[in-house]
């Protein structure tokens, strides 16, 4: 797989959780911090986001997206609320009970069916312009987090602009049509579109950040550097191959010194150190997500014997593959994501 696909596949667990909400009038809801990667998509109308960390409030218009890679707590409101209003903000779960709509028609069969498209109708808590949005999150195993994810800010606002992020805009339009729809297959289409939404949000952030000449994030630049991007693609497509600095440099079309300098500067690890780190990450995922025997996993990640893999794994994780596989995923054993190995 390519790097971004690998990054997302490595940390994603379970199915995304999403709620469709429609509200009007004066309102203010608090979403506390949570474990997961959150998102907010405005389908109709507008609202305000007030970050818990004291950051400046900002407005969301129809088609805008907010990505919250670490589940940062925040306030959603109809306006940039003052202190007393924020203190009285309705907890999200309680707010959802009053203003929530079914994500699909099938989900509403046991109760009243609300109108099915943005702008039609639905529960509303007051008079005035309505806002309809999707509020959801993806479950993550942060023990497998790639350093690219660590560079994404706590709150990423991706406004809808003419000609900007067309794939993301298309995914939002499709979600708007499918959410609450009575079309056959909606229960399959919506989770699949939410998976696409995550890919497009990460892509949009990479594109937006790479274009910022004053940015400090390295991974968006790395993926736009032709030499480093090619080397990363080769390593992720075939982590099991017997790579060497000389072979990787030849395939990338540069000298070993040039590859080492550019790769280490942008990735934070030398090429072979990064390969070892990625092989350990893949081995950890295979140990948790498959029943493959250790010798099969060893071959898949570039080690000739289970003993060789066990030695490398123990150095990286401080435990054996067998113990790692046996312990619960919540135990917290994980690889460092920072540029510690060079």
């Amino acid at each position: 797989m390519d790097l971004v696909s690998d990054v997302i596949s490595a940390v994603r667990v379970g199915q995304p959780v999403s709620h469709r909400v429609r509200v009007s009038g004066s309102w203010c809801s608090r979403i506390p911090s949570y474990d997961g990667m959150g998102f907010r998509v405005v389908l109709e109308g507008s609202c305000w986001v007030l970050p818990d960390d004291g950051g400046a409030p900002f407005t969301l218009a129809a088609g805008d997206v907010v990505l919250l890679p670490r589940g940062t707590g925040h306030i959603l409101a109809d306006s940039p609320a003052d202190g007393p209003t924020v203190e009285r903000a309705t907890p999200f779960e309680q707010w959802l009970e009053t203003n929530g709509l079914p994500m699909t028609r099938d989900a509403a069969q046991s109760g009243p069916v609300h109108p099915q498209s943005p702008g039609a109708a639905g529960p509303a808590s007051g008079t005035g312009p309505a806002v309809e949005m999707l509020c959801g999150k993806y479950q993550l195993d942060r023990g497998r987090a790639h350093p690219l994810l660590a560079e994404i800010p706590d709150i990423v606002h991706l406004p809808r602009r003419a000609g900007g992020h067309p794939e993301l805009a298309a995914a939002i339009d499709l979600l708007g049509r499918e959410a609450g729809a009575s079309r056959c297959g909606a229960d399959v289409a919506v989770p699949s579109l939410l998976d696409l939404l995550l890919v497009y949000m990460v892509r949009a952030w990479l594109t937006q950040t790479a274009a910022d000449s004053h940015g400090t994030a390295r991974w968006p630049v790395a993926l736009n550097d032709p030499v480093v991007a090619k080397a990363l693609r080769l390593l992720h497509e075939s982590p099991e191959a017997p790579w060497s600095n000389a072979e990787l440099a030849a395939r990338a079309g540069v000298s070993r010194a040039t590859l080492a300098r550019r790769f280490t500067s942008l990735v934070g690890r030398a090429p072979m150190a990064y390969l070892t780190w990625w092989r350990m990450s893949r081995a950890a995922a295979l140990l948790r997500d498959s029943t493959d025997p250790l010798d099969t996993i060893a071959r898949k990640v570039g080690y000739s014997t289970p003993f060789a893999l066990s030695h490398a794994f123990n150095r990286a994780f401080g435990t054996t593959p067998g113990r790692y596989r046996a312990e619960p995923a919540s135990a917290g054993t994980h690889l460092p994501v920072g540029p510690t190995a060079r």
Side-chain angles (χ1 to χ4, degrees), residues 7-315:
V7 167
I8 292 172
S9 298
V11 297
R12 274 287 314 280
V13 293
Q15 292 291 319
V17 176
S18 183
H19 303 284
R20 178 169 161 248
V21 180
R22 185 176 179 85
V23 62
S24 60
S26 179
W27 57 274
C28 184
S29 177
R30 175 177 295 281
I31 296 91
S33 59
Y34 50 88
D35 186 26
M37 178 181 284
F39 64 91
R40 309 286 176 259
V41 178
V42 177
L43 301 176
E44 177 194 352
S46 64
C47 65
W48 283 79
V49 177
L50 290 72
D52 276 358
D53 62 5
F58 58 93
T59 186
L60 297 179
D64 285 8
V65 179
V66 171
L67 176 63
L68 305 140
R70 282 165 284 280
T72 300
H74 57 286
I75 295 284
L76 290 174
D78 67 298
S79 62
D82 56 21
T85 302
V86 168
E87 289 298 321
R88 297 192 302 271
T90 305
F92 179 74
E93 295 300 329
Q94 180 181 337
W95 184 67
L96 187 62
E97 288 180 7
T98 305
N99 302 289
L101 294 169
M103 281 296 295
T104 65
R105 176 69 175 266
D106 287 347
Q109 291 306 308
S110 59
V113 177
H114 299 300
Q116 302 303 316
S117 61
S125 56
T127 60
V131 58
E132 186 169 327
M133 70 185 84
L134 300 180
C135 301
K137 68 177 180 179
Y138 304 93
Q139 301 175 65
L140 306 182
D141 179 352
R142 297 196 184 275
R144 307 176 189 174
H146 189 279
L148 183 153
L149 294 180
E151 288 195 341
I152 303 178
D154 288 342
I155 299 179
V156 178
H157 180 202
L158 299 167
R160 182 163 190 158
R161 297 192 182 100
H165 314 313
E167 300 97 340
L168 180 59
I172 293 169
D173 288 343
L174 286 170
L175 271 169
R177 292 186 178 96
E178 291 289 344
S182 57
R183 299 172 182 173
C184 57
D187 288 325
V188 174
V190 170
S192 298
L193 286 170
L194 290 174
D195 286 338
L196 272 178
L197 182 71
L198 176 56
V199 174
Y200 293 154
M201 287 189 293
V202 173
R203 270 191 199 170
W205 172 76
L206 287 167
T207 302
Q208 186 170 283
T209 307
D212 181 5
S213 59
H214 302 292
T216 58
R218 292 187 296 188
W219 278 95
V221 180
L223 293 176
N224 276 276
D225 181 287
V227 171
V228 177
K230 184 169 184 179
L232 285 166
R233 185 173 68 253
L234 290 167
L235 295 179
H236 277 261
E237 285 177 349
S238 303
E240 76 287 352
W243 291 108
S244 65
N245 282 311
E247 173 66 15
L248 189 61
R251 295 283 297 276
V254 294
S255 69
R256 283 182 293 174
T258 297
L259 175 64
R261 182 179 67 254
R262 289 168 70 166
F263 194 101
T264 305
S265 173
L266 292 176
V267 172
R269 288 180 168 92
M272 293 301 103
Y274 178 83
L275 175 61
T276 299
W277 180 89
W278 178 243
R279 283 172 168 173
M280 291 302 97
S281 183
R282 290 297 307 132
L286 290 167
L287 286 165
R288 286 273 168 82
D289 298 339
S290 78
T291 58
D292 290 346
L294 193 57
D295 60 338
T296 300
I297 293 175
R299 289 194 299 272
K300 286 182 176 180
V301 297
Y303 290 86
S304 57
T305 66
F307 176 79
L309 172 60
S310 295
H311 181 69
F313 195 90
N314 195 32
R315 284 200 311 172

